[in-house]
Amino acid sequence: MAVPVEQAPAVERARSAAARESWAEAYVLLREADRHPTHALTAEDLDVLSDAAWWSGHVDESVAARLRTHAAYVAAHDRRGAGLAAWWLHYEYAGLGRPAAAAGWLHRARHHLEGLPPGPEHCFLAWTDAEEATARGDHAAALAAAGRMTRLALRAESPDLLALARQATAAALLAQGRRTEALTHLDEAMCAVTAGELSGMFTGFLYCLAITQCMESADFARAVEWTNAAMEWCAPPWTGAGPGDGVAAPIGVPSGENPFRGVCRAHRVEVLDLLGAWALAEAEARQACREVPVDCLESAAAAYYAAGDVQRRQGRLEEAAVSYAHAHELGRIPQPGLALLRLAQGRAEAAVAGVDLALACQGDARHDLLGRARLLAARTEVALAVRDVPGAAGAAAELEVLAGDVPLLRAMADAARGAVALAEARPEPALRLLRRALAGWLELRVPYEAAQVRMLLAAADRTVGDEEAARLELGAARAVFERLGAGPDARRAGALLTRRRLPGGLTAREAEVLRLVASGGTNKEIARALVISEHTVGRHLNNIFAKLGVNSRAAATAYAYAHNLP
């Protein structure tokens, strides 16, 4: 007759709980059994205790149990068990910011597994080899290690390891710039994740790795899809698939037991920020900072940074400065947000210096396309603010090369180049680029950036004399800014909407030229003041004369004084 589960020995109940991935239950039972043992815990039980402690947020206890796990496997002359335990110690120490200890345990893992027939334990070494080769730019070695990992995973018939191998292949291909191939491998790995085919540990790994890759490579559509799925998977209590997303989660994991929750939430903050759900993004950022494990503080830094961006755009500049400072304390360079904050505070030179330093410190742009693109877009903006049109043009040109055919980056590049063309008094190219940028942002459903482009479009429309189009763009921009809570931008759009109509059908640029003519400026002096060519000044004067029905500078000056333009 079978013994009821509740009457079975604690260790057996803990094993049952671990099989259901009910880690909090397994942790309590094994900790109690270890404290008052009737029998010493086996190496396998200590392994479970380590996993259960990690899932329950007790990282120090997890490491301590893993050390005992390793010692038990060594005592039993189980080289495979010892090698895998050593690899996990390497992984945990690396996450805790102890690189020397991590390196020592990785060396020990290799030593234990050296000379043994290839097995699933070797998969983890291959994963480490692939990541290290990718980090040092040895693409051939990274792909070779990922291929070795795939073969080992197939031989072991492990869905967990096979999905991780496909992710490693995707990472190596992305580092080479082979985007289409990389995303094919990543999509295949994520199929196993969203179908609920993987264990909780590897489901969490894959969500974190894939979403990070999507954001860094600026694949916004995939980032949105997988971030939403990850949060459904993380949401307590775990009772199966989330509503409508097909995500099957392990059964029996109670609230508060998922250490991936804070990490996934930090990714979600970035997505919500771009989608314009700012209030939710800020609330999620605060929650992420409370939930994030001690070995993932970079996620907390990202959440603080995203909160700072929301606060800055809403005009809450002091709060934004505090958030950026917290991000910096946790190891993140808070750029370009801090540079744009300085610009909003009227400290343009500090803004230029900050974004330039961040660009100089950044490594290979292929490892973080979106990060590089954001820095270049900000460099364009701050350069235009200090009238450094050549500097802005250089940043926009680099962004254009970086963008390729990636929709998010394409919209950023078109907006930057359109702003430069507008500053160079080339309204036709500016209109073409800005309209394309607006279409890109609208398709991606990124409202704030779309509204910013509408502001530039309004300026370009007024330059060519299309006042009606300008007012339509300004009205649409103001509505978005008000909905988002972007107060400073909404006020700016409102002020431009109520600006009086210029007399004689003059554009804003033509009015500027006429004011300088009325003040006695020569074509050369006007060209220097407006950073345009003398030929462009002459063209503007011809247009002014034609619109006003005058044929001399003196008559144009008289018209300017009569209509209160100087």
Side-chain angles (χ1 to χ4, degrees), residues 443-467:
E443 185 174 351
L444 290 165
R445 300 183 182 181
V446 177
Y448 180 77
E449 281 72 10
Q452 290 281 37
V453 170
R454 287 189 187 277
M455 297 288 285
L456 292 169
L457 271 170
D461 287 330
R462 278 182 167 163
T463 300
V464 299
D466 193 342
E467 179 65 24

Side-chain angles (χ1 to χ4, degrees), residues 335 338-343 347-356 382:
Q335 297 290 4
L338 184 59
L340 296 174
L341 173 64
R342 297 302 179 226
L343 192 61
R347 299 169 57 186
E349 296 302 327
V352 173
V355 78
D356 279 352
V382 298

